[in-house]
Amino acid sequence: MALRFVIIGGGPAGHTAATHAARLGAEVTVIERDIVGGAAHLWDCIPSKAMIATGGAMALTKRAEGMGLASMQATLDFEALRDRNAAIEGRLNRSICELLESQSVRIIRGTGRLDGPNTVVADSADGTERIEADAILVSTGSRPRIPEWAEVDGDRILTTRHAYPPKELPSHLVIVGSGVTGVEFVHMFSSFGSKVTLIVSRQQVLPAKDAEVAAALEENFLDRGVVLMKGARAIGIDRDDDGVVVRCDDGRQVAGSHALLAIGAIPNSESVGLEAAGVELDRGGYVPINHHCQSNVPHIYAAGDVSGKLPLSSVAAMQGRKIAEHVMGLHTRDHRHLDYDKAASAIFTEPEIADVGLAEADAFAEGRKIRVTKVPFSASAKALIEGDPRGFVKILSDPNTGVVLGGSIVGRNAAELISVLALAVTAGLKVTDIVESLLVHPSLAEALADAAE
Ligand SMILES: Cc1cc2nc3c(=O)[nH]c(=O)nc-3n(C[C@H](O)[C@H](O)[C@H](O)COP(=O)(O)OP(=O)(O)OC[C@H]3O[C@@H](n4cnc5c(N)ncnc54)[C@H](O)[C@@H]3O)c2cc1C
């Protein structure tokens, strides 16, 4: 009899685990209450990047004159934007469902929960079904954190889930939270023409990032007229018919037409029957996992945001893939553990920001000797041709061996270009491997070879 593998939550972790396990011979069931593709497709990665792409197209029209064109005027059409998001999500959902069905994965559209360590209960429009499982994956994701001092109404006080797009273009959007999500929404709405104020609890946006990288982004925000309220922590939001007032702990307050909360996420781990099945949760409600993504109950796995590791779609999908291998016993052969420190990530702002591997600040904090080389895109022929020479490439390598340890890219197409450094970091390549690659000319990638020199 095939191994029975039941997955609760069909986001990147769940559907990737499902396809791989089915391909390897498991009998797989996925239970999903919203859409297969998960919050990643419905609310997070995909609609946010689709809206940012529209903002990017608007920005391009503003740069038209600098590109030798007569001036162009773009007008935002919120209905068209909403339809475009729905069309992209629909297309992606269909292709994932087709892939799962082609692998004979059973999809139950309903809510799943554990009832003991080997039984999953699915509640759907067809009724309640009990499914016995040899292995279970909990990949239920997370949702925006809403503090007790804010009453989200989806009208003027929003989370990211109300913003694709909101009912109307905010004339003045106050964004609380200056991490990755906060700065992407600053970029999105200021590209659309909204006035934006960003409440920054520390002295720098993106507090976890390299100071030089954060400074490049702040400069762009200030150039666009974004107001940065630094060193302020929001403690309350009042609203009336016309707008909102966000109050901060230092007495400052800012009035706007809308407020958007981007202050992190909480795991979807309650109501899943985890404790009753013997699965331990940490104080934040996440499921602690080992390097095979097993919870303390060995045949119950957790992946994606609910596992409390890096909250990235790419990481969730890779966890799903590794879990499929482990469930099917393939980890005993040719298996590489997932190394979270080598995950590439990007921030889709202007300029775009991407990094991978060791960060310069961490190397200094550890007293580790590294070689840091950096070139600006202003020296790149392609960047000048594209009319956008902002930003730089920075590569960190081992001074003795030349092995690439990490890097940051700020500038056009950074999210694509970082793939070269991600491959180098994962495969343990040396800076000379990059320098000696015969790259396309003119291309932005040439800056990587120059930085590696
Ligand atoms: C605004 C925003 C933008 C982002 N952009 C990016 C990006 O550009 N790149 C990137 O890599 N990451 C991005 N992320 C992070 C990324 O979205 C998450 O890390 C990723 O979605 C996590 O995948 P997951 O598999 O854990 O689950 P999710 O995508 O959260 O999916 C979980 C699924 O489980 C379902 N579910 C939950 N409970 C149950 C239940 N009891 N029964 C049945 N189904 C259930 C939910 O309906 C959901 O569909 C972004 C996040 C946000 C908030």
Side-chain angles (χ1 to χ4, degrees), residues 7 31 42 55 62 105 149 162 179 188 218 293 310 329 410 435:
I7 298 171
I31 307 167
L42 199 53
K62 288 186 189 133
V105 172
W149 45 261
H162 305 106
M188 185 193 295
E218 286 188 10
C293 301
L310 273 182
V410 176
V435 172

Side-chain angles (χ1 to χ4, degrees), residues 8-9 12-13 32-34 38-40 44-45 49 110 112 140-141 304-305 311-313:
I8 308 176
E32 169 54 57
R33 65 182 180 195
D34 284 328
D44 300 346
C45 319
K49 268 69 262 184
T140 45
D305 288 3
L312 289 174
S313 183

Side-chain angles (χ1 to χ4, degrees), residues 8-14 31-35 37-40 43-45 48-49 110-112 139-142 160 164 181 185 268 303-305 311-314 316 348:
I8 308 176
I31 307 167
E32 169 54 57
R33 65 182 180 195
D34 284 328
I35 62 153
W43 289 303
D44 300 346
C45 319
S48 64
K49 268 69 262 184
T111 302
S139 45
T140 45
S142 64
T160 54
Y164 301 125
T181 303
F185 277 79
N268 294 326
D305 288 3
L312 289 174
S313 183
S314 48
F348 293 83

